[in-house]
Amino acid sequence: MPCVHYKFRSKLSHDTILFEGVHITVRELKQQIMRRERLKLCDLKISSEQNNEEYTDDEALIPNNTSVVIRRIPAVGLKSTNKRFVNNRPEPSCGSSQTVGDSSPVSLDLLLKTENLAEANASEEDKLKAVMYQSSLCYYSSR
């Protein structure tokens, strides 16, 4: 049965794709490899192992018993799933860190129960103590 041997650039061993006919198109080979390896949201670059020639045309024919090297690349047109959170609060002005409308600093007991420590009106030392306490709650909870 006709086959193409492929390996990912990062692997040491070859795998085999079986097909009907004398040759297979690059598109069909990519589809079979992606289905077999359960790859999603990526594209594949295929190049010949013998001469490092890259198959750029999806309609190019790959002959029987050829060995190819596969490289995964991100699919074109997809947005990154990396989410970065940006804090949009204004920078403090020069001088005093308290503004006219601010109340007195929050006590440590109240700070331990505060969800948003970044905007709490407390010293950095108290905020750090609250972070350390809150982070250990999941390990030492009574539940």
Side-chain angles (χ1 to χ4, degrees):
M1 180 133 223
C3 63
V4 170
H5 305 283
Y6 72 94
K7 80 175 194 88
F8 285 94
R9 216 170 98 187
S10 59
K11 286 189 175 180
L12 297 176
S13 63
H14 284 80
D15 291 313
T16 304
I17 292 286
L18 301 173
F19 60 91
E20 304 264 333
V22 181
H23 44 73
I24 186 170
T25 64
V26 172
R27 177 180 289 126
E28 291 170 351
L29 181 63
K30 284 181 182 180
Q31 288 173 349
Q32 287 190 23
I33 291 172
M34 290 181 78
R35 189 177 316 119
R36 184 178 206 182
E37 301 287 335
R38 295 185 179 123
L39 299 174
K40 296 179 184 176
L41 303 176
C42 69
D43 196 13
L44 301 176
K45 278 192 174 182
I46 300 177
S47 57
S48 174
E49 192 171 42
Q50 287 80 18
N51 58 12
N52 291 331
E53 176 188 345
E54 185 177 327
Y55 295 103
T56 55
D57 183 19
D58 280 348
E59 299 305 317
L61 300 175
I62 300 174
N64 182 17
N65 288 328
T66 301
S67 295
V68 294
V69 177
I70 309 294
R71 241 178 64 206
R72 279 180 279 224
I73 58 171
V76 177
L78 291 178
K79 292 184 179 178
S80 173
T81 57
N82 249 349
K83 302 240 188 282
R84 294 183 188 236
F85 297 99
V86 178
N87 194 354
N88 289 329
R89 76 185 145 127
E91 292 292 321
S93 59
C94 294
S96 174
S97 63
Q98 285 189 342
T99 58
V100 178
D102 282 346
S103 60
S104 62
V106 178
S107 70
L108 185 58
D109 293 333
L110 186 59
L111 195 61
L112 294 176
K113 298 173 185 168
T114 304
E115 289 182 16
N116 188 358
L117 293 172
E119 294 183 6
N121 185 16
S123 69
E124 287 298 314
E125 185 176 312
D126 287 344
K127 287 181 184 180
L128 287 172
K129 287 179 185 176
V131 166
M132 297 297 288
Y133 174 78
Q134 289 177 357
S135 67
S136 66
L137 280 179
C138 64
Y139 297 110
Y140 302 111
S141 67
S142 60
R143 294 181 215 166

